[in-house]
Amino acid sequence: MAKTGIVKHPIYLEHKTEIFHPESPQRLQSIYSMLETKDFGEKLVEVPPRFATLDELLLVHDAHYVDRVLDTAEKPRVRFDPDTVTSPKTYKAAWMAAGGVMEAIRAVFAGEIRNGFALIRPPGHHALRDRAMGFCIFNNVAIGARYALKAHHLQRVLIVDWDLHHGNGIQSIFYDDPQALYFSIHRHPFYPWTGGMEEVGEGPGRGYTVNVPLEQGCSNSEYGNALRHLLWPIARLYRPELILVAAGFDIHHSDPLRSMNLTEAGFARMTDLLLQMASELCGERLVLALEGGYNSEALCDSVAMVLWELIGQSVINRREMEQVEDAQYGHIAQLIARVKEIQREYWKTL
Ligand SMILES: [Zn+2]
């Protein structure tokens, strides 16, 4: 029976931010509690995480920066930037967040699971090669991608980032590298102020960064349509061997950032589309990693909906959602046309 792996571990709760900081242990605690109460059955299995090795971290990060993170060990608090602080055990959580994503990928390639979701923190997509940024310490998804390329001898990894914020860290790490195609759909202009559609990569990486900048207030159908009508045709041309997802839930309508209007079903629908893509293009290999999402209730309800999709027990009405997407295609048609126009220089048949 094809299984879905989840990565969870108490160490991820030991990264303690300051009081009133939105990226709190409570976020993950509520997801872990939800896992106890819902019966996902035997299809959901745990994949135990491990610490990333130093060599693995160095696939993405500078040795000097890794040392700086290690220097925070057992210290009460070190501030990396105005939003990013450590606690005594943050270094361990960060080490194991990166390791958790790698373990989920390893388990997929070993055939132990069909797909997986790393329920980890601290998040990663803003973390740069040489510094922490925006709640992120190590760039978990970028490390996962580099690990997959190296350890599993891949040529092409597709990274889809649906977090509210642009994943500037992932983009910059792979900006000149065609071995990872980074597709980000995000609010723009907005923190971290990168992610314009004209940012397409550089050198041999040109065309391997695809940014879909959205205005505030988008909902399920805009995200569904962007995945169907922009990501999918590009993914077909790219032919990824693995799909990784920087899964942020701060686009939920009741997130305190109040930017987008997705419902729980919207996250399920994006997962449904990515599962279809993974099935068509890369032997179903799909691994998600948790990024943002700051309303604990919305976060765990949405994660639950994603998990129902991943285990193949969808609770959404796909047909109905498709019809709404078709009816509302006009909302995003122009934006998709503009991004395609820019990307056609690299993807001739797009
Ligand atoms: Zn975010």
Side-chain angles (χ1 to χ4, degrees), residues 219-229 269-270 273 325:
S219 19
N220 295 351
S221 63
E222 280 82 64
Y223 281 78
N225 276 322
L227 264 57
R228 279 171 66 187
H229 300 290
R269 172 63 174 154
M270 287 196 287
L273 285 164
E325 286 159 10

Side-chain angles (χ1 to χ4, degrees), residues 42 64 77 87 233 276 336:
E42 289 172 8
H64 175 72
R77 198 163 290 291
S87 60
Q276 292 181 53
I336 289 179

Side-chain angles (χ1 to χ4, degrees), residues 220-350:
N220 295 351
S221 63
E222 280 82 64
Y223 281 78
N225 276 322
L227 264 57
R228 279 171 66 187
H229 300 290
L230 188 56
L231 172 62
W232 206 326
I234 291 175
R236 278 197 180 112
L237 295 171
Y238 185 59
R239 295 178 295 112
E241 298 158 289
L242 167 70
I243 302 177
L244 298 180
V245 184
F249 294 84
D250 38 9
I251 50 178
H252 190 280
H253 66 86
S254 59
D255 192 273
L257 295 173
R258 300 246 169 262
S259 285
M260 298 297 180
N261 291 318
L262 270 79
T263 64
E264 292 82 9
F267 293 101
R269 172 63 174 154
M270 287 196 287
T271 308
D272 163 45
L273 285 164
L274 291 169
L275 283 166
Q276 292 181 53
M277 275 178 231
S279 163
E280 179 190 315
L281 300 171
C282 55
E284 303 189 309
R285 291 188 288 269
L286 175 70
V287 173
L288 293 80
L290 183 65
E291 297 284 355
Y294 305 105
N295 173 328
S296 288
E297 202 182 322
L299 175 63
C300 74
D301 290 350
S302 303
V303 167
M305 289 288 277
V306 168
L307 290 174
W308 289 119
E309 293 297 318
L310 291 176
I311 66 173
Q313 293 179 25
S314 180
V315 291
I316 57 167
N317 187 333
R318 178 199 282 179
R319 183 94 194 90
E320 206 170 85
M321 292 190 81
E322 231 167 41
Q323 284 168 352
V324 176
E325 286 159 10
D326 291 344
Q328 299 186 346
Y329 186 64
H331 294 184
I332 197 172
Q334 260 195 337
L335 176 64
I336 289 179
R338 285 169 63 204
V339 176
K340 277 190 175 173
E341 190 58 40
I342 290 170
Q343 293 288 342
R344 217 166 266 134
E345 194 179 332
Y346 317 103
W347 306 99
K348 306 288 180 207
T349 55
L350 187 63

Side-chain angles (χ1 to χ4, degrees), residues 55-81:
D55 283 346
E56 287 166 342
L57 293 180
L58 294 177
L59 292 171
V60 161
H61 294 288
D62 284 353
H64 175 72
Y65 172 58
V66 175
D67 278 348
R68 281 195 65 199
V69 177
L70 198 55
D71 268 350
T72 71
E74 311 305 329
K75 289 184 183 157
R77 198 163 290 291
V78 175
R79 184 172 298 278
F80 279 120
D81 84 358

